[in-house]
Amino acid sequence: MTRRIAICAPSTPFSRDDAARVSALAQAQFPALDLVFHDQCFASAGHFAGTDAQRLSAFLECANDPAFDAVWFVRGGYGANRIAMDALPLLGPVAHGKQYLGYSDGGTLLALLYRARVGRQVHAPMPTDIRRAGGEAAVGRTLAWLAGGGDGLEPSLDGRTPAVAFNLMTLAMLCGTPLLPDLSGHVVMVEEVAEYHYAVDRLLFSVTSCLAPLGIAGLRLGRVSDVPQNDRPFGCEVEDMARHWCARTGIAFLGRADIGHDIDNKIVPFGLA
């Protein structure tokens, strides 16, 4: 049976050439999937994939259309928070039966939907990963998941403890807002890209301070990649930073997670896999 997947851009735009590459990959390897890129994916309004109104409308069309089984965010960047709260009251019953997939800035909508118990949220590679060297493997991992496979799951998931995965900056920006879900009892996985080491340390300070009162089960650290060169070394590695702030706030540091802004980014269903 064919599964139809709607693709929209709550944050920044995509290109038609790259969309064609993703569609060709799906047709060749996963013929039971029908990918439908919303035209809004290719819109542009300053930084964003169209105006706030255009991005909101496209997301709602995809989420509320009974013809689609899942909604896949085309890429991250920034912008999902500008439409998230407006979207929530406009999601109909059909939206509750779908999967929602993405990461990076897409985690903003995943968080809100998870908090509101609308559908099933999945941290997963996005179409934009086709642009990376070897990115077909990342995109294929999500396509395989959508086709019913489970080989791409993050290996530490145990099926007993609920988990979530977020970009560290995105999670820090969610703290203290109505978008942050109840993460009590959850393993929280975080990853980051293109931030100075001092900024990562600052983010870990903020996030652990926010998460500690929630009673999370523990923190796992994904990859922190493409770190810019500062004018002086920070003096400790990222895992040392995570261990430091977990110890300061009483959060269990559970080790590493196989997630990141790269082609090896694994799949983390929110809640229980």
Side-chain angles (χ1 to χ4, degrees):
M1 185 176 69
T2 299
R3 301 194 74 221
R4 302 191 75 215
I5 313 302
I7 304 174
C8 62
S11 307
T12 52
F14 205 45
S15 77
R16 293 187 184 276
D17 287 345
D18 288 327
R21 292 175 62 199
V22 173
S23 293
L25 178 66
Q27 290 166 8
Q29 298 186 17
F30 303 94
L33 298 179
D34 179 19
L35 304 188
V36 180
F37 284 86
H38 195 291
D39 277 345
Q40 174 269 330
C41 289
F42 317 114
S44 180
H47 175 86
F48 307 105
T51 64
D52 290 353
Q54 287 175 302
R55 300 195 321 283
L56 174 62
S57 177
F59 171 66
L60 291 171
E61 286 176 29
C62 295
N64 289 330
D65 190 335
F68 295 115
D69 299 289
V71 179
W72 196 10
F73 305 140
V74 77
R75 62 175 301 192
Y78 172 70
N81 62 310
R82 295 175 63 98
I83 67 171
M85 292 304 297
D86 290 335
L88 188 59
L90 300 176
L91 292 169
V94 168
H96 288 250
K98 288 182 169 59
Q99 288 191 71
Y100 298 87
L101 305 98
Y103 72 105
S104 192
D105 194 57
T108 302
L109 279 172
L110 298 183
L112 176 70
L113 296 171
Y114 190 55
R115 175 182 175 126
R117 300 183 180 181
V118 175
R120 291 161 290 153
Q121 297 71 42
V122 185
H123 165 102
M126 298 180 289
T128 190
D129 288 304
I130 200 75
R131 298 173 173 175
R132 304 183 191 277
E136 293 83 359
V139 174
R141 190 173 301 119
T142 300
L143 293 173
W145 171 265
L146 287 166
D151 291 343
L153 286 170
E154 202 282 331
S156 71
L157 297 170
D158 61 13
R160 300 184 302 274
T161 307
V164 293
F166 289 104
N167 170 258
L168 185 57
M169 176 68 81
T170 300
L171 181 55
M173 296 303 102
L174 292 171
C175 289
T177 76
L179 282 66
L180 184 70
D182 178 7
L183 298 178
S184 58
H186 286 63
V187 173
V188 178
M189 304 182 191
V190 294
E191 55 79 27
E192 191 50 85
V193 64
E195 294 289 346
Y196 287 98
H197 274 144
Y198 68 79
V200 174
D201 192 68
R202 181 189 293 150
L203 290 169
L204 286 166
F205 156 69
S206 176
V207 163
T208 55
S209 298
C210 170
L211 296 180
L214 302 182
I216 69 170
L219 183 84
R220 284 191 177 273
L221 178 66
R223 287 176 289 281
V224 176
S225 57
D226 298 336
V227 177
Q229 188 70 38
N230 196 19
D231 61 352
R232 70 197 70 186
F234 184 71
C236 70
E237 297 302 316
V238 174
E239 184 171 324
D240 296 326
M241 301 176 203
R243 289 181 180 276
H244 170 83
W245 291 113
C246 283
R248 287 285 297 267
T249 54
I251 292 173
F253 180 73
L254 302 177
R256 303 305 296 252
D258 194 5
I259 61 171
H261 273 65
D262 53 42
I263 63 170
D264 295 318
N265 188 23
K266 297 302 190 294
I267 289 171
V268 182
F270 281 31
L272 292 173

